């Protein structure tokens, strides 16, 4: 035990070589969970534990980021035994006690990612190295999520992704230290296809405008695979820069393309702007190929629908969750969030809140903050009560498998928040898929000795 008390670091152990350590006669002790638990990044030794919230508080997805921050603060309050407890009361199974995490009070630090991947990675680095964050979470862009997930793998800090919808997050760019609750683009396509077929038929010509980064690319690919499988023809697919603001130069060619459907693979303010401008161009009032012209937004949220106003009416898409669902988890979360902030929560708020509770519950079940043990507690864990039905944190790729919602803009809203109707709740087995189809490797669970 003298070696452990002297503070020999894991880095020093590796430099010294195992031969010298074995010669002391204490080598077996170095490989117990308790011994290694003193060597991981930001092991909380005091009476508090710090979570790092990486949020797009500015940029194209800033509105989502603001709602995420509210959700994180609410989750942390509930973990610390404040308020009504929210989803802690309905999560099953649950090891949460409402007294922090492993008896330590939960605190947090924040960083504005600006909806930029490099800024998100730099912010996460600061929160780990400067602020001692034991877990990083947040983001509303898959570019942010993938950048931060890679960093967390390098530094041995668990990343509980916020809003990220690219197939790559739990596909080719998946990492052992990264976990995603939100659904993905492939699942959007699977859920949305039958609804589009019934609503618009199988003889359609589609024009795509696509956000030019990892989420847009995989969303375009997934919805193209779905619609072409129905018999639709893809006329054109054009990439647009994130945060473009003015989409008129991209919309003008649609009018003479021969397309009768415009698919907007945009999110956040980009979707609000591109949809609004498409309507201003008269696309919802025109005909093409003897059919009424249609607009589809494969992924959208309550916040986006509210921002788009009248323009969202009748438009189909998918969502991860909706505040008006009547299961116990959704009712509990909507009640808690509404009481705290005076408005219903968005899907971004929901997934961020849930991720915080799932991390805390995994630590409680593991009985330690040691990341490899927390990872084991999350992999293959099945739970209920969070608003998405029975959900599995799949071990192969760290993707949550659960139901997916097909939604439509409400034609007759009764309030400013009554902007979406749930058309169909597509069950988990319908949107399931083989984890190997997107490739990638999770990598090791053993933390690298890089965190000071």
């Amino acid at each position: 035990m003298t070696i452990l008390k002297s503070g020999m670091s894991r880095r020093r152990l590796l430099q010294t070589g195992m031969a010298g350590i074995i010669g002391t006669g204490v080598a077996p002790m170095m490989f117990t969970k308790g011994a290694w638990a003193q060597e991981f990044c930001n092991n909380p030794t005091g009476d508090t534990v710090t979570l790092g919230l990486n949020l797009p508080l500015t940029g194209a997805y800033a509105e989502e980021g603001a709602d995420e921050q509210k959700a994180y603060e609410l989750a942390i309050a509930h973990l610390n035994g404040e308020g009504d407890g929210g989803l802690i009361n309905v999560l099953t199974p649950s090891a949460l006690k409402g007294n922090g995490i492993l008896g330590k009070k939960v605190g947090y630090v924040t960083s504005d990612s600006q909806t930029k991947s490099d800024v998100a990675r730099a912010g996460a680095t600061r929160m780990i190295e400067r602020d001692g964050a034991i877990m990083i979470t947040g983001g509303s862009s898959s570019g942010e999520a993938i950048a931060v997930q890679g960093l967390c793998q390098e530094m041995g800090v668990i990343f509980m992704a916020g809003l990220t919808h690219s197939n790559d997050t739990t596909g080719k760019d998946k990492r052992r230290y990264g976990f995603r609750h939100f659904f993905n683009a492939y699942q959007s396509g699977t859920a949305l296809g039958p609804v589009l077929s019934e609503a618009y038929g199988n003889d359609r010509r589609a024009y795509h405008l696509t956000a030019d980064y990892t989420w847009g690319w995989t969303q375009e690919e997934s919805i193209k695979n779905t619609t072409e499988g129905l018999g639709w023809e893809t006329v054109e697919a054009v990439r647009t820069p994130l945060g473009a603001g003015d989409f008129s130069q991209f919309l003008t060619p649609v009018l003479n393309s021969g397309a009768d459907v415009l698919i907007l693979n945009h999110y956040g303010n980009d979707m609000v702007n591109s949809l609004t401008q498409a309507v201003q161009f008269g696309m919802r009032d025109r005909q093409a190929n003897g059919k009424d012209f249609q607009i589809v937004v494969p992924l959208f949220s309550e916040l986006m629908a509210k921002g788009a106003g009248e323009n969202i009416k009748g438009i189909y898409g998918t969502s991860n969750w909706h505040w008006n669902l009547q299961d116990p988890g959704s009712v509990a979360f909507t009640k808690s969030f509404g009481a705290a902030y005076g408005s219903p929560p968005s899907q971004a708020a929901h997934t961020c809140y849930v991720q915080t509770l799932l991390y805390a519950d995994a630590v409680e079940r593991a009985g330690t903050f040691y990341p490899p043990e927390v990872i084991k507690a999350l992999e293959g864990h099945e739970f209920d009560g969070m608003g998405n039905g029975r959900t599995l944190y799949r071990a192969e790729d760290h993707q949550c498998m659960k139901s997916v919602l097909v939604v439509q803009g409400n034609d007759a809203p009764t309030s400013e928040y009554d902007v979406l109707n749930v058309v169909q709740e597509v069950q988990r087995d319908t949107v399931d898929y083989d984890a190997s189809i997107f490739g990638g490797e999770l990598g090791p669970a053993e933390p690298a000795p890089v965190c000071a």
Side-chain angles (χ1 to χ4, degrees), residues 70-410:
K70 293 176 182 177
Y72 283 127
E73 291 175 354
L74 186 64
I76 289 167
H78 289 165
L79 288 173
N80 286 332
E82 303 165 13
D84 63 7
L87 290 177
I88 291 177
N89 301 319
V90 291
L91 173 63
T92 57
S94 174
L96 298 174
K97 305 176 181 66
N99 65 343
I101 306 177
L102 294 183
K104 298 179 185 292
K105 185 174 181 178
V106 184
Y108 67 93
V109 291
T110 62
S111 180
D112 178 11
S113 69
Q114 303 174 30
T115 322
K116 297 177 180 177
S117 300
D118 56 343
V119 177
R121 184 179 171 103
T125 302
R126 285 194 304 272
M127 289 188 289
I128 294 169
E129 294 182 344
R130 181 189 66 192
D131 303 313
I134 187 68
M135 182 269 278
I136 299 295
T137 184
S140 289
S141 152
S142 292
E144 294 176 76
I146 290 168
V148 174
Q149 180 170 262
L151 170 75
C152 287
Q153 179 74 29
E154 295 166 13
M155 301 192 78
V157 173
I158 288 177
F159 175 59
M160 301 295 284
L163 195 162
T164 168
H165 189 242
S166 171
N167 295 332
D168 294 344
T169 307
T170 47
K172 74 178 184 64
D173 295 309
K174 64 187 172 221
R175 295 291 183 269
R176 183 75 61 182
Y177 276 71
F179 291 85
R180 170 165 61 180
H181 171 262
F182 208 77
F183 70 138
N184 65 21
Y186 177 93
Q187 293 171 312
S188 279
T190 301
L192 191 56
V195 174
L196 294 180
S197 175
E198 182 176 352
Y200 302 140
N202 297 332
D203 179 23
R204 284 284 183 169
R205 306 188 75 224
Y207 195 111
H208 290 254
L209 292 182
T210 300
D212 193 11
Y213 75 105
T214 178
W215 168 68
W217 306 332
T218 66
Q219 179 62 84
E220 177 191 295
E221 177 187 37
S222 296
I223 198 68
K224 279 173 64 177
N225 288 342
T226 294
T227 55
E228 290 174 2
L230 299 175
W232 291 24
E233 178 187 349
T234 301
V235 175
E236 191 72 68
V238 176
R239 304 289 168 83
T240 64
L242 185 63
D246 183 4
F247 290 90
S248 57
Q249 64 176 308
F250 303 106
L251 291 166
T252 300
V254 179
L255 299 172
N256 298 314
S257 67
D260 48 51
V261 179
L262 172 62
I263 298 177
L264 294 175
N265 299 302
H266 291 155
Y267 197 76
N269 288 336
D270 280 0
M271 173 271 184
V272 172
N273 290 332
S274 63
L275 175 61
T276 299
Q277 291 163 29
V279 173
Q280 291 171 348
F281 271 63
M283 290 188 185
R284 299 204 70 178
D285 301 320
R286 69 192 302 263
Q287 283 201 328
N289 306 320
K291 305 176 181 68
D292 291 339
F293 195 95
Q294 303 293 340
I295 302 175
V296 176
V297 179
L299 174 70
F300 63 92
S301 71
E302 305 88 337
L303 295 175
M304 292 157 59
K306 188 169 178 285
E310 294 276 326
N311 301 320
I312 201 68
K313 290 184 176 183
I315 288 182
Y316 287 108
T318 60
S319 288
N320 190 65
W321 176 82
H322 188 257
W323 65 267
N324 204 26
L325 295 173
Q326 294 302 302
D327 61 276
S330 296
V331 170
F333 182 53
T334 300
K335 177 183 176 182
S336 291
F337 193 95
Y341 304 114
S343 63
S346 65
Q347 64 173 356
H350 174 258
T351 202
C352 290
Y353 178 99
V354 170
Q355 284 283 71
T356 309
L357 261 59
L358 292 177
Y359 170 77
D361 179 69
V363 173
E364 293 282 357
R365 289 185 289 110
T368 177
F369 288 98
Y370 183 52
E373 295 299 316
V374 179
I375 289 169
K376 286 180 186 177
L378 284 167
E379 288 181 336
H381 179 56
E382 193 164 17
F383 57 92
D384 205 345
M386 296 285 95
N388 299 107
R390 193 142 193 90
T391 303
L392 171 69
Y393 238 134
R394 194 159 61 177
E396 300 96 312
D397 58 357
H398 296 183
Q399 173 66 52
C400 266
M401 305 304 294
K402 59 190 189 304
S403 61
V404 171
L405 303 181
V406 177
V407 295
Q408 187 179 29
N410 193 349

